[in-house]
Amino acid sequence: MQHNIHPHYNTQNKHSISSIMSTTTTTLVVGATGATGKHVVLQLLQQKHHVRAIARSKQRLLDTLNEISPNASEEYAAFLTVTEAAVLDLSDEELENLCSGCDACVSCLGHNMTFQGVFGKPRHLVTDAAKRICHAIETNQSKEKESKIQMVKFILMGSDGVANPNGQDEKRTFGERFLVFLLRYLIPPHRDNETAAAYISGKTDNPNLEWTVIRPTDLIDGSVTKYELLPRPPGSLFGDGVATRSNVAKSMVDMILTQSLWDEWKFKMPVLHDLN
């Protein structure tokens, strides 16, 4: 099985520092105050790249960034633009404006693990947001001259509990398939993640909209360490490794800024594990 190890980049790594983008990028981050999204925002800012964040509360986002890195909101203020809104409440025009000029769009949206968050509306938050962002990107591209159409990277945060729709994951055991069946019909967020992955995997008609779905294993809090990206889940669906949210964010930032890494995983759904 292929193991691709991506720690902090240096000249000894497969994806060398020479392949890291030297120009400043602009990334739209949806779910910016979430447990993973906040790390995506901060890590991009720390490398002096522009971030457009969509958050219900700008102050909450700034406070969250400061909790991770003191004075971050002041230090990186010139690189951060925050739109206070729920992404599904934005008009098409507003979302198109936010996507315009972006090199990448990242969705770290998820359902709050409360009764309302799991069973209430919007039940299709992740899927609907992915559809609207992709539509906004493509609407912008349709207005550009053919020779100047900007290629955009779309990164969706998923889960290793969601099978790759291409059918290339290892076949799950009967017990695992039964559990997924129950999750699909009893826990709406799981079905939402499956539907979002299926939608993104079908986006093959536009060569200027490239995508990947990062599928972390069991999520935990923790600092950035080394991680590995695998083409499919390596073992059991139950308890096979962990992934820190900051490492999930790191993988997304690495893909945005390192073209060779992006070329390796675009149009794929890599599974992320921490390396001990």
Side-chain angles (χ1 to χ4, degrees):
M1 178 175 290
Q2 176 187 9
H3 283 233
N4 298 285
I5 300 171
H6 303 290
H8 295 292
Y9 287 103
N10 56 54
T11 55
Q12 281 71 50
N13 294 132
K14 176 180 177 182
H15 303 278
S16 68
I17 196 166
S18 63
S19 66
I20 298 177
M21 290 185 180
S22 58
T23 57
T24 301
T25 64
T26 299
T27 299
L28 175 68
V29 180
V30 182
T33 56
T36 302
K38 62 186 180 183
H39 290 289
V40 176
V41 172
L42 182 60
Q43 290 177 27
L44 283 167
L45 293 176
Q46 287 173 330
Q47 297 191 57
K48 304 298 178 66
H49 290 271
H50 293 287
V51 176
R52 298 174 186 173
I54 299 176
R56 291 178 182 272
S57 168
K58 177 178 180 178
Q59 190 58 52
R60 181 187 169 196
L61 175 58
L62 298 181
D63 291 343
T64 298
L65 297 178
N66 290 334
E67 288 172 4
I68 306 172
S69 178
N71 301 317
S73 64
E74 296 180 8
E75 184 175 357
Y76 306 116
F79 296 92
L80 176 63
T81 303
V82 182
T83 297
E84 287 189 312
V87 62
L88 296 185
D89 291 341
L90 292 169
S91 68
D92 289 346
E93 183 179 3
E94 288 171 325
L95 195 53
E96 288 160 18
N97 288 336
L98 286 170
C99 292
S100 179
C102 284
D103 301 279
C105 295
V106 176
S107 175
C108 292
L109 287 170
H111 296 257
N112 294 327
M113 289 299 101
T114 62
F115 184 86
Q116 177 62 29
V118 171
F119 297 103
K121 295 180 179 180
R123 287 200 170 193
H124 308 294
L125 170 66
V126 180
T127 303
D128 289 347
K131 289 180 177 180
R132 292 201 61 204
I133 292 169
C134 288
H135 179 73
I137 293 169
E138 293 181 315
T139 298
N140 288 335
Q141 290 174 334
S142 70
K143 299 175 183 177
E144 297 168 353
K145 293 182 178 180
E146 186 173 348
S147 61
K148 295 185 178 180
I149 294 178
Q150 181 176 7
M151 193 281 291
V152 181
K153 302 174 180 178
F154 180 78
I155 302 176
L156 176 69
M157 180 175 172
S159 163
D160 69 346
V162 174
N164 192 327
N166 68 11
Q168 294 180 4
D169 286 353
E170 300 290 345
K171 186 175 181 179
R172 290 171 172 158
T173 65
F174 174 79
E176 290 173 338
R177 295 197 305 273
F178 181 70
L179 175 59
V180 171
F181 173 84
L182 292 177
L183 291 173
R184 182 177 300 129
Y185 291 100
L186 297 178
I187 309 297
H190 181 78
R191 181 185 288 187
D192 187 19
N193 287 330
E194 287 186 324
T195 305
Y199 169 76
I200 292 300
S201 69
K203 295 297 295 180
T204 58
D205 58 334
N206 182 355
N208 296 304
L209 175 56
E210 300 179 344
W211 56 263
T212 188
V213 180
I214 307 295
R215 295 186 290 166
T217 188
D218 297 342
L219 286 166
I220 61 172
D221 291 323
S223 58
V224 172
T225 59
K226 294 180 180 180
Y227 65 84
E228 62 181 347
L229 294 171
L230 308 172
R232 60 187 63 86
S236 170
L237 183 62
F238 307 107
D240 189 47
V242 296
T244 59
R245 294 175 174 87
S246 55
N247 274 347
V248 177
K250 182 67 165 60
S251 73
M252 294 176 172
V253 172
D254 288 343
M255 286 193 183
I256 293 169
L257 302 183
T258 310
Q259 189 60 40
S260 59
L261 182 61
W262 178 257
D263 289 340
E264 182 177 353
W265 292 108
K266 66 183 180 182
F267 305 126
K268 298 178 182 177
M269 299 190 180
V271 173
L272 185 145
H273 285 234
D274 286 0
L275 287 172
N276 296 327

